[in-house]
Each structure stands twice: as C-alpha cells, then as structure tokens.
Amino acid sequence: MALSPPPSPQSEVRTVCPYCGVGCGVLATTRGGMVTSVRGDPDHPTNRGGLCSKGQRLAGTVRPGDRLLHPLRRPLDAAGGFDRGRTWERVGWDDALGDCARRLTAIQAEHGRDSVAFYLSGQLLTEDYYVANKLVKGFLGTNNVDTNSRLCMASAAAAYKLAFGSDAPPGCYEDGEHATCVIFLGSNAAETHPIVFGRLLDARRRTGARWIVVDPRRTPTAAAADLHLPITPGSDVALLLGMLNVCLAEGLTDTAFVRRHTDDFAEAEAVAAEWPVERAAAECGVGGDAIREAARLFGSSAATMSLWCQGLNQSIAAVSKNLALINLHLATGQIGRPGTGPFSLTGQANAMGGREVGGMATELAAHRKLADPRDRAEVSEFWGSGPIAPERGLSAMELIDGLLDGRVRALWIAGTNPIASMPDGTRAEAALRRAELVVVQELFHPTDTSLFADVLLPAAGWAEKTGTATSSERRVTLAQAMVPPPGEARADWRIFADLGRHLGHGAHFSYEDAADVFDEHAALTRGRTCDMSGISHERLRREGSLQWPCPDRDSPGTARRYTDGVFATSGGRARFNATPHVPPAEPPTDEYPLRLTTARTAHSWHTLTKTGKVAELRRLDPGPILEVHPLDAATAGVADGEVVELTSRRGSWRGRALCTEDVPRGTVSASFHNSPLWDRGAWINRLTPAALDPRSLQPELKHVAVRLGPARSALDGLLVIGGRAAAPLAGALVGAGVLRLEAAGWDTPAPAGRPWCAVLDGGSDCREWLSTQGHSPPRDADASGRVAGRDGAYAAGDGVVT
C-alpha cells in the first residue's frame, strides 16, 4: 500500500492588508506555496486582531484563474506599429522591456520628453512607487507620472499643505479613543473603514462621545449618529461656514490659540460672516437649529475629531471643503491634543506612501516642491540623474486630455484600471485608442484597461512581494512575501528597475532587494517633514509598524504632530484660508432633475479586479442598485425592484431600483464598483463629468445631474458562447433584462453582425477558442456581473448595444 506524502510545512507570516488606507495587520498561513487562510494580527496596534469582510477573504485573491503569467506583446503590423486587431503573443522579459525602452526613447526623440507618461496606483508598495518616480522624473526627464490617488486623496493633501505646510493628518486612530465629539463628513466609515469605525464605537461606549454625521444619505454611519445632517450634495462649504459663523457669534473660538499659532484668521472670518445660519440652512437643505447644534457640539467639546473621505474630496470645490473644516479646527483650538484634529480617511492601502515619494505629477520626493530649484537640485544630485524639470506634469485627467490632443503618445499604466475608474469613461477609452504605445503592468488580464494594451507585463501582488505601506495615520508596516509569484510575474519595483537598465541607466537601479530600495528612499527623507530615516525593513520586521516622523533608530515614531503648536510652514504658524462656497459643476435642470452621488459598498473593492474573484464577497454584494426616494421613483414612472435607467449628458446606466427614504428627494445613489468588463450597462463612470478642482486637480465624481426612467431593453437576441459557465451567465443576463438569448459551446466562432458574448474563465477550452479567433478579446463588453459561482469567470462581448 502506497503511503501518502508527508504534508508540506505550514507557516504563519506577519503582513498588512492591501485594501484601504486603515492598514490592518494580517497573519497569513501558507502551505505548499499557497496562502491557505488569513486572520487579523492581534499585536498590530491598528486593528488588534480585527479584519473587515474583504480582509478576511484575502486568500481568495492570490491565485485566481485570470492572473497574467507572462509578458505579452501584440504582433507588429506592416508599418511597424502594433496590430491591435490581433491577440497578444508571449515574449521574454528582455524582449518586452527592450522593446518598451526603444519605443519610449523614439517617442521622446520625436515628440519631446513630455510625450510619455506613467499612471500608477495607491495599491503599489512604497518601493514600487519610489523606483518608478525616480525613473520617470530623474531619468526620463518628465514629471508626467501621476497616480490614481489623484482620484481620492489629492484634495486632502493640498489642504494639509496649505493649512499646515505639510501633507498628512496631524493625528492618529488613538485620538478616537479620547474624543468627546466626532464628526464624519462624506464618509460612510461603518462600511468603508469598518475597523476604524469599530474602534470609535468601542470608545464611544466609554467616553459618551457625541457623533455628528454629514451625509445626504442615511447610511449605517448616519444611523449611529446623535445628529445627522442630510445636506444637499455639494453644499458642504456652506454648512461649515455656517458652523464657523455660529462659533464666532457665540464665543466658541479659542482666541488665544488663534493669536499665538495661526495667521490670516481675518480672511476666513470675513467669509464666514457672509453665511449666517439662515443662509447656510437654505443652501444645505437642513434646519438652522441643526446647524447651530452641530457648531456648539464641535466648538464646546473638550476634544473634537473630524473624519472624512470622498464625499469631501471628489468635488470641484474639494480643497475649499477640506480647508473649511480645518478652519473650524483652528478657530476652536481643536488640534494638537489627544482626541482632536482633522483626519482624512485614505481610500487605498498605500496612497500615503505614494505621496511620501512624490509619486504625483505635482510633487517631488520626500515632501519637496517641484517649483523650488534647491529641492530639485537636492533630489537630482541624490539620484545622480539629469536635471528635474521645473514644470509640473499632467495629472490623471490631464493625461486623458493629452492623449486625445496628441501631447502624450505613450502611457505606462501600473496596478490600476483607469477605464473603469476615470470620470467620463468613454472618453478615457477613446484616449487609450489614440495612444501610440500603451503598456499595462498588472496582476490580472483581461481587465477593462488591459484590453487596450500593446504590451502586458505580469506583476507580483499581495503575499508575493516584500515592501512597505503607509496607512492613514502615517504608520509604516512591512508587507512580506510568503509565496512565489505565479509564472514569470515580478515585483513592480523590479520591473521599473529593469526598464531603467534597458534605458541605459543600470548603475542607478542596481538594487539587491526591496529593503535596499527602502533604505535609499528613507535616506532621501532625512530632515524632511516625513522623515523615515530611522525606519528600515529589518527594524519593521523586528519591532513592528512605526509612525513617521521617525528620524533615528532610537525614535519610537510620532503619533501626533503639532502638539507644541509649531506647524511646518515657513513661520511655524498654521494658516487660515478663505473658503467661498462654489456649487457643483452640474446643477440639476429640467432635463436632468436629479443629483446622482456614487458610493462604495461594504464587500466590494473599487473596480472588482480583486473582490470580484471571491465568490463569498460577490454573494454579499447587491450588484448595480440605485437608491431612490419613493416619490422620485413615482415621478419617473418606476417601481421598487424594476430595472431602471439613469441618463446624464455623457451616457446611461442600468440597474435595479431600491426605493428608500434613506436618500432625500432629488438625490439618487449608486455604487461605482461595476466596470464595463463586468457590466457595461452598470458602468457608473460613463455618466460622471471630468470637472476638476483647480487646486488639487481631483475630479468631481460625487455629483452628476441625471434623469431617471424605466430601462429600455439593451440586450435583445444575444448569443452566449462558453462552457459550463454559460448557463449561470444566461441567468444573470435574463435578470438584467435580456429578452432573447441563445447559448452555444466553444465550437462556435464569434459571429459578425449580431450581439454576442463569450464566457472567459481561463480554462484550456477558453484559451484555445481565443487563440483561434484572429483578434484580441473584445473591448465592448457587457457581462451583467461576474458569472455566478465561477471564480475568475466573466463575459466579454462585441456589438452589444447598451
């Protein structure tokens, strides 16, 4: 009788969650080269053993069926360009990177240094970010390197710098345990940052803290509030000015703090004087007494802490919204003490790390300024590069403009899915089609964006590479590799370093490992406001996470900044800023009478490239749902549970109506997770405008003027091609409103002239079918959701009218 082989050794590795910016510690168990389970790290000071539903299921994201395993490149056409009508061919790393290097060099030679651009992700580790930023700004000579953090945190970063002279929150999570008043603005933390929310709930039971929630919707966070202010979307500045007006009138300001530690108070005071409570109430759509109560709670509390997220940041007036809130803190002295201060909740795991390395088109490494010649000279000398350009680069949305008008000819995208996440998404599609070169460096393929790539480079993901991530509270945690990357996937920093070698700069990118990269990054921060020179991989592995500033190896890190009343401005004093109210870019009209605001859901993450692969999370998510007030639904002629359609000036969206009084009249709300690859009809960013805040360059994703009506049948007579997953897809499509469909097996070719979709699941039959089609996987996709019960399976189609 044959004996079973002995079980492979099992080990538990300490790491950090890669989802939101809370930065929860994770203990992951591996066996046989696989992550088998995860649990919260009870010793990590952030989550103390807790994890949200997404973090609990991290193991399911490591080896899905649609991982990109090898470098791929499209064949060349007769003119020497990429033949985008044909599918990709497998190539070696040196061939792929060598070809990319030659093309980048040729494009810059013909069209100028700023004709190439890189678009990065808050999901990258700091080491990845650092090497990319060094390569592009130092050696390619362009500041056209931006990040998807531009879509979520740019406004908070701009406000921190204007008010305090330095980016990042002044406080920490522990402040929630000392606060006696907590105000949430534009944040449904109960669902989007549940670990922080749970800590605040626990503290509230001990302290009796009063909670204020400012949100148009009655969210689970708002349901927990002592005072809920359901303001009209876009009226945040008016509310905050009204609150400051009350504090000034009722003597709730800290005049001694203002006199000793701030400048320009008169400018903020003058704007607030124009907004008495009655005017603010009329603009916000809430009662004047509620505004007075909020102001009194904020100003008279022994310790007031504020938390906000995209409801404040994704707006054409976002920097003013952030500054109006910071003005309230400065005016009432609610800063620099335990339990006080403005605290932005970061959307992505390492958006803060990207800001540390200057990984945005408007920034320079280690909180230096692009416009300062001394800062540029310091960095270029440290890197051993050529001069750094003084002009800021193109931000995320400006890159789309640049591709469309020909200023940008090549775009390198790493770890993000801009087709799904950019506003006015069909415009982003048109932009990528115009590019001469699109390189996508990704874990997965296809994604909405990878379908546009000329070159595809496989990247290592969570649990497969080592590096650091910095959380919302400036806490640096080591993310450790515990399993090998699949196929030929490489760490992102190594891909960028290898590109540097192919560009002829190998001596400047000869890192031994990620710890070597971090040491260089930390050395560049020495003496800066984000000083991390006392942090190393070895110390993080030995001692656990640390908060910067951490200027030497004996420093325990810094939980709170500005505790001495000295700020990071040139004069050491915080600055008030005037914040006039600016309405949203698209007010409602007779044609588009409703305001659409977009939201996250508890169990889905961004564009579903990760959470969409975990069956349990898919079952928990409600899918494309539109929350609408019953009276607005009746006016539009739709009923609860019906398939409905939203239309904006740019396109339409389809989903099911959920009639609820949790949204006020005149406002509707939908999640932004469904991307065109999942369901082109439920692609919410096809509706949103590309309007930007002029200071942060962050787009207004939270306010769109729309009209509502019954859905027209967008899918009629559809052919579904696939294997076992075709039947579950058919059921999903029927639920989405398909009138007639026909299923066929893998022996059926893609038809011409009629709507069709294919269920792509990474199996051998699927791969064989794709290889025989003579074209790449189609771009115009309508899957109406991932295929139920099939990990890694989705549908892509051609010719579907949506």
Side-chain angles (χ1 to χ4, degrees):
M1 178 178 175
L3 297 177
S4 300
S8 57
Q10 180 171 298
S11 62
E12 193 169 57
V13 181
R14 180 167 277 110
T15 185
V16 64
C17 181
Y19 282 120
C20 75
V22 171
C24 294
V26 172
L27 292 173
T29 300
T30 63
R31 187 182 184 93
M34 298 290 291
V35 178
T36 56
S37 64
V38 300
R39 63 187 180 98
D41 184 351
D43 296 325
H44 197 283
T46 294
N47 55 313
R48 304 165 183 174
L51 284 178
C52 74
S53 64
K54 297 183 292 290
Q56 291 167 9
R57 295 167 175 86
L58 269 170
T61 68
V62 180
R63 289 290 191 272
D66 57 350
R67 281 298 295 270
L68 181 60
L69 300 177
H70 310 284
L72 301 174
R73 183 179 59 194
R74 291 192 191 274
L76 300 181
D77 59 22
F82 292 108
D83 187 345
R84 290 177 176 168
R86 296 170 63 191
T87 195
W88 301 267
E89 300 172 341
R90 179 175 171 180
V91 293
W93 270 106
D94 282 342
D95 285 341
L97 290 175
D99 190 45
C100 289
R102 285 189 294 273
R103 287 170 183 272
L104 290 173
T105 301
I107 288 170
Q108 284 191 310
E110 182 176 357
H111 301 289
R113 71 187 185 199
D114 292 331
S115 60
V116 304
F118 283 59
Y119 187 55
L120 310 178
S121 169
Q123 297 288 285
L124 297 178
L125 298 177
T126 300
E127 293 76 2
D128 305 323
Y129 250 129
Y130 177 81
V131 177
N133 191 53
K134 174 182 175 179
L135 173 67
V136 180
K137 290 179 178 170
F139 293 88
L140 283 173
T142 178
N143 292 322
N144 285 346
V145 53
D146 211 48
T147 166
N148 61 14
S149 298
R150 179 73 60 188
L151 307 183
C152 62
M153 294 309 300
S155 298
Y160 285 138
K161 286 184 285 187
L162 286 168
F164 305 140
S166 172
D167 187 9
C172 57
Y173 300 142
E174 187 188 14
D175 285 322
E177 297 168 13
H178 302 280
T180 53
C181 175
V182 177
I183 179 170
F184 299 85
L185 302 100
S187 166
N188 180 19
E191 292 190 309
T192 62
H193 297 87
I195 297 301
V196 170
F197 187 79
R199 288 184 61 169
L200 289 164
L201 278 176
D202 289 343
R204 184 193 202 182
R205 296 184 188 103
R206 298 191 305 271
T207 64
R210 302 291 300 279
W211 282 14
I212 307 166
V213 174
V214 180
D215 197 308
R217 302 185 302 148
R218 181 175 170 80
T219 64
T221 307
D226 297 290
L227 177 62
H228 175 210
L229 302 177
I231 63 170
T232 302
S235 64
D236 310 79
V237 170
L239 170 70
L240 293 165
L241 287 170
M243 290 174 64
L244 180 55
N245 185 290
V246 171
C247 289
L248 291 165
E250 298 189 4
L252 298 175
T253 57
D254 188 335
T255 55
F257 179 88
V258 170
R259 184 177 63 255
R260 292 172 187 163
H261 301 297
T262 72
D263 288 327
D264 303 326
F265 176 60
E267 296 179 18
E269 185 179 29
V271 177
E274 299 173 2
W275 283 87
V277 166
E278 292 73 19
R279 182 186 179 193
E283 183 68 31
C284 296
V286 297
D289 288 344
I291 295 176
R292 291 187 186 90
E293 183 180 358
R296 290 163 183 163
L297 285 172
F298 190 107
S300 64
S301 169
T304 296
M305 179 184 190
S306 62
L307 301 107
W308 72 95
C309 201
Q310 305 319 333
L312 255 60
N313 290 334
Q314 291 178 335
S315 164
I316 62 167
V319 175
S320 287
K321 292 179 181 182
N322 279 257
L323 288 171
L325 177 59
I326 291 172
N327 285 348
L328 263 177
H329 279 278
L330 293 174
T332 56
Q334 297 284 8
I335 190 170
R337 297 177 284 108
T340 67
F343 194 103
S344 56
L345 291 169
T346 308
Q348 296 189 86
N350 200 33
M352 185 74 72
R355 287 145 67 185
E356 294 160 5
V357 306
M360 298 178 93
T362 49
E363 308 297 333
L364 194 55
H367 289 186
R368 290 175 172 85
K369 298 177 181 178
L370 274 175
D372 189 325
R374 290 176 300 178
D375 281 357
R376 295 197 307 274
E378 280 182 12
V379 176
S380 62
E381 181 180 1
F382 184 89
W383 283 343
S385 69
I388 295 170
E391 307 87 4
R392 72 167 181 85
L394 298 177
S395 68
M397 286 307 304
E398 293 170 329
L399 291 176
I400 300 300
D401 299 334
L403 287 167
L404 289 170
D405 64 26
R407 286 174 294 159
V408 177
R409 303 300 181 105
L411 182 61
W412 193 299
I413 302 166
T416 187
N417 190 15
I419 292 298
S421 58
M422 288 281 195
D424 198 356
T426 52
R427 193 166 180 267
E429 286 184 321
L432 288 194
R433 290 192 180 104
R434 288 286 303 272
E436 293 179 24
L437 171 66
V438 177
V439 180
V440 174
Q441 183 172 314
E442 249 294 357
L443 278 72
F444 312 109
H445 175 64
T447 68
D448 306 281
T449 301
S450 75
L451 291 172
F452 290 81
D454 301 303
V455 181
L456 287 158
L457 302 175
W462 179 83
E464 299 165 357
K465 63 179 180 179
T466 294
T468 56
T470 307
S471 74
S472 296
E473 64 169 355
R474 298 169 281 104
R475 182 176 296 279
V476 183
T477 300
L478 186 64
Q480 301 202 66
M482 58 195 79
V483 297
E488 297 181 80
R490 295 180 178 179
D492 293 272
W493 70 263
R494 191 173 294 281
I495 297 173
F496 292 126
D498 287 344
L499 176 62
R501 176 171 56 84
H502 281 276
L503 287 165
H505 308 297
H508 301 283
F509 294 92
S510 56
Y511 304 106
E512 292 185 5
D513 54 23
D516 197 15
V517 177
F518 185 87
D519 288 345
E520 182 176 306
H521 158 59
L524 189 53
T525 69
R526 187 179 303 279
R528 307 297 303 174
T529 51
C530 59
D531 196 331
M532 284 173 273
S533 52
I535 303 177
S536 66
H537 279 205
E538 186 277 331
R539 186 179 177 192
L540 293 172
R541 191 174 285 110
R542 184 182 68 249
E543 299 180 23
S545 60
L546 293 162
Q547 290 170 276
W548 60 255
C550 184
D552 57 66
R553 287 179 292 180
D554 296 323
S555 170
T558 306
R560 296 177 187 85
R561 308 169 79 191
Y562 317 134
T563 56
D564 56 0
V566 178
F567 294 85
T569 60
S570 57
R573 297 165 69 85
R575 302 188 191 101
F576 282 90
N577 289 265
T579 58
H581 171 64
V582 176
E586 285 190 1
T589 64
D590 290 342
E591 186 177 4
Y592 302 101
L594 299 173
R595 305 172 188 265
L596 166 67
T597 183
T598 63
R600 303 178 191 221
T601 58
H603 309 295
S604 292
W605 178 251
H606 290 190
T607 63
L608 302 177
T609 52
K610 290 181 181 178
T611 54
K613 297 170 176 60
V614 182
E616 292 173 280
L617 292 175
R618 291 201 307 273
R619 285 194 292 269
L620 291 169
D621 192 81
I625 296 293
L626 183 76
E627 294 184 355
V628 54
H629 192 280
L631 294 178
D632 287 329
T635 300
V638 301
D640 186 56
E642 285 187 349
V643 179
V644 298
E645 187 169 271
L646 283 182
T647 305
S648 79
R649 292 171 174 86
R650 285 153 297 279
S652 61
W653 173 96
R654 188 178 60 243
R656 291 195 180 276
L658 174 63
C659 294
T660 174
E661 294 185 1
D662 287 345
V663 291
R665 287 209 67 183
T667 296
V668 293
S669 179
S671 77
F672 59 69
H673 300 298
N674 287 281
S675 67
L677 193 62
W678 284 75
D679 182 351
R680 196 171 179 87
W683 179 18
I684 201 71
N685 279 335
R686 183 161 49 178
L687 276 61
T688 51
L692 305 180
D693 182 289
R695 288 183 283 188
S696 67
L697 306 176
Q698 183 164 354
E700 183 159 82
L701 287 164
K702 290 296 183 192
H703 191 284
V704 192
V706 295
R707 66 172 177 263
L708 172 66
R712 298 164 295 156
S713 178
L715 298 173
D716 187 1
L718 185 69
L719 174 66
V720 180
I721 303 168
R724 290 179 298 169
L729 175 64
L733 290 171
V734 168
V738 180
L739 297 184
R740 298 187 304 276
L741 61 83
E742 177 185 349
W746 288 116
D747 56 346
T748 302
R754 63 173 295 192
W756 64 274
C757 68
V759 181
L760 310 179
D761 60 6
S764 59
D765 50 359
C766 172
R767 293 195 298 271
E768 181 178 353
W769 183 85
L770 284 173
S771 70
T772 63
Q773 294 308 297
H775 57 75
S776 60
R779 289 182 182 144
D780 296 321
D782 195 319
S784 294
R786 283 244 169 187
V787 181
R790 185 73 179 265
D791 284 345
Y794 57 93
D798 197 10
V800 177
V801 180
T802 56

